Amino acid sequence: MRIFTERTIMKYPVFLLVLLLLFKSGLVAQSAKEPWKEQQLIAPRALAEQIDKKQTGNILILSVGPDAVIRGSVDMGPAHEPEHFAKLKSYLKNVSRNKEVIIYCGCCPFDKCPNIRPAFKTLTGMGFKKARLLNIPKNIKADWLDKDYPTNDNE
Amino acid sequence: MNRILCTLISLLFAVTTAAQSTPLKTGSIAPEITLPRMDGSMFALSSLKGRLVLIDFWATWCAPCVKEQPQLKALYEKFAPEVKEGKFEIIGVSLDKDKSTWKKTVDRLKINWVQVSDLKFWRSPVAKDYGIEELPFNVLVDEQNKIIAINLHEKELENLIQRRLGATREQPRSIKAATLNNSKHE
């Protein structure tokens, strides 16, 4: 830890800049192990296109956050709340483990979201081989509603 | 070298701030808010003209917003004399969609300032009127309904309210101490 002393930081302004950039880009925060892998993330645009082309027949889309905004998605409620967590588990019991299940929250960026981690761990823990997480960088408003992607309202 | 470093850091933060900017501007009149209270009666922001008002946009599904509520509660307690004298008020505008969840959380957190919501989630017209992109979000408006601050939190918010109210008396507890105390009792 000696390299992080105040003296070192003052002595090496470039070191300070790199450290700041790392924090800013969230690289430091992201180094914590997440329950999903990069390839299990799906971009909102890709899902929106699939929904528009009606190619979601074999996909189950579950909202584990504030609202089931996405067209065809089923509302499980915020997964960090015990009653909604139980609802999610019970709903998934009867779903084929080979089905592609995409979960999303959209309350806030991933680092602040209390719902996606317990929900995703449940999916993989229950043996879903095609568990996916919708990659929402900011929130459901900015990354779905504002982009006029298909919603349950405008079916 | 140091000058280059300072410029780079300033640029970095300037870009971040610009990306988070809203169409709201300090100095402009706050858009009217006409929304139902929890009991169904209508509330209008303009009815609070003459007071300094903190409009707190939040939702029970927004974890950082819920986390901030005890701080606001401490703030409300700190300025209770000003609230009583009709000089200061907090309004909680919720972007929830479910009334029972909203009510349950307000009860649990013992929030005692006015709470309003049309339960329309992000589709609430108020979100558009105030150009809200993410929560938590707040606006401080003066006695003439003019916006004096956008999205201030913690000590910065407390200090500005204190300055605006001219409340010079010493407070028995700081907001942080009060918050800690509150959370201990939960």
Side-chain angles (χ1 to χ4, degrees):
Chain A
M1 283 309 286
R2 281 185 72 184
I3 56 156
F4 287 98
T5 60
E6 195 178 318
R7 209 173 148 195
T8 317
I9 286 169
M10 294 313 290
K11 207 173 165 186
Y12 301 106
V14 176
F15 173 79
L16 177 64
L17 181 64
V18 169
L19 206 67
L20 261 168
L21 280 167
L22 275 173
F23 273 106
K24 209 66 204 161
S25 63
L27 281 177
V28 170
Q30 280 172 14
S31 63
K33 187 106 177 80
E34 295 291 11
W36 55 82
K37 293 186 187 93
E38 188 70 28
Q39 60 268 31
Q40 288 175 304
L41 295 172
I42 176 167
R45 192 184 179 148
L47 179 61
E49 280 174 6
Q50 271 182 284
I51 296 171
D52 279 335
K53 289 178 188 161
K54 301 194 192 313
Q55 293 170 345
T56 50
N58 204 30
I59 299 176
L60 175 63
I61 311 168
L62 299 178
S63 162
V64 296
D67 196 10
V69 165
I70 297 175
R71 188 184 295 165
S73 64
V74 187
D75 194 6
M76 295 291 114
H80 79 280
E81 289 165 5
E83 61 172 296
H84 294 121
F85 185 67
K87 184 181 173 184
L88 172 72
K89 275 171 89 169
S90 126
Y91 188 90
L92 287 170
K93 257 183 206 165
N94 301 320
V95 178
S96 159
R97 300 302 188 260
N98 293 317
K99 194 160 180 99
E100 183 176 349
V101 182
I102 302 174
I103 60 160
Y104 71 97
C105 175
C107 68
C108 38
F110 279 180
D111 61 322
K112 288 180 184 156
C113 178
N115 300 310
I116 48 175
R117 286 167 190 85
F120 200 84
K121 278 182 196 164
T122 301
L123 268 185
T124 47
M126 287 175 82
F128 286 90
K129 294 176 193 80
K130 295 175 200 161
R132 313 283 297 272
L133 171 65
L134 190 63
N135 196 359
I136 297 178
K138 195 171 180 181
N139 58 42
I140 199 74
K141 178 192 184 287
D143 300 309
W144 196 273
L145 291 168
D146 289 353
K147 293 196 156 81
D148 284 330
Y149 289 158
T151 66
N152 273 328
D153 282 350
N154 62 17
E155 250 178 304
Chain B
M1 183 66 201
N2 276 345
R3 200 175 290 169
I4 297 167
L5 182 71
C6 284
T7 315
L8 276 170
I9 292 172
S10 313
L11 259 170
L12 192 69
F13 279 92
V15 166
T16 314
T17 315
Q20 287 169 352
S21 69
T22 71
L24 281 193
K25 280 194 180 107
T26 51
S28 61
I29 298 293
E32 176 63 301
I33 296 173
T34 317
L35 288 173
R37 295 182 183 88
M38 212 168 265
D39 64 8
S41 62
M42 286 308 279
F43 161 84
L45 176 66
S46 51
S47 68
L48 294 179
K49 216 168 176 181
R51 297 175 200 216
L52 182 71
V53 182
L54 173 67
I55 312 169
D56 173 46
F57 296 93
W58 75 297
T60 62
W61 46 259
C62 160
C65 306
V66 173
K67 206 173 158 194
E68 194 183 24
Q69 295 307 305
Q71 289 174 26
L72 296 184
K73 194 170 165 60
L75 198 74
Y76 202 57
E77 277 168 19
K78 175 174 175 171
F79 297 111
E82 284 76 14
V83 172
K84 224 174 189 176
E85 290 164 20
K87 290 180 183 166
F88 175 60
E89 194 50 79
I90 302 181
I91 299 299
V93 181
S94 157
L95 295 189
D96 269 275
K97 58 150 201 165
D98 180 59
K99 191 166 181 176
S100 72
T101 313
W102 177 39
K103 188 178 180 320
K104 237 186 266 172
T105 309
V106 168
D107 289 348
R108 180 173 60 83
L109 297 168
K110 297 188 176 69
I111 298 173
N112 52 346
W113 52 91
V114 173
Q115 289 292 320
V116 297
S117 179
D118 53 12
L119 301 169
K120 289 185 179 167
F121 191 53
W122 279 114
R123 299 170 192 90
S124 173
V126 80
K128 201 174 176 191
D129 291 348
Y130 278 80
I132 307 167
E133 288 296 315
E134 58 188 325
L135 295 178
F137 182 81
N138 68 38
V139 174
L140 191 65
V141 302
D142 73 2
E143 295 75 4
Q144 282 77 47
N145 271 4
K146 209 189 282 174
I147 297 168
I148 54 171
I150 299 168
N151 233 0
L152 288 189
H153 297 273
E154 300 182 357
K155 202 72 195 164
E156 225 181 335
L157 175 67
E158 183 190 347
N159 288 345
L160 180 59
I161 294 172
Q162 174 118 12
R163 265 206 319 275
R164 293 296 301 207
L165 291 172
T168 48
R169 66 198 147 70
E170 269 303 302
Q171 298 299 325
R173 295 187 301 171
S174 75
I175 294 300
K176 205 163 186 182
T179 312
L180 280 173
N181 227 7
N182 280 347
S183 55
K184 266 183 205 164
H185 290 295
E186 272 182 316

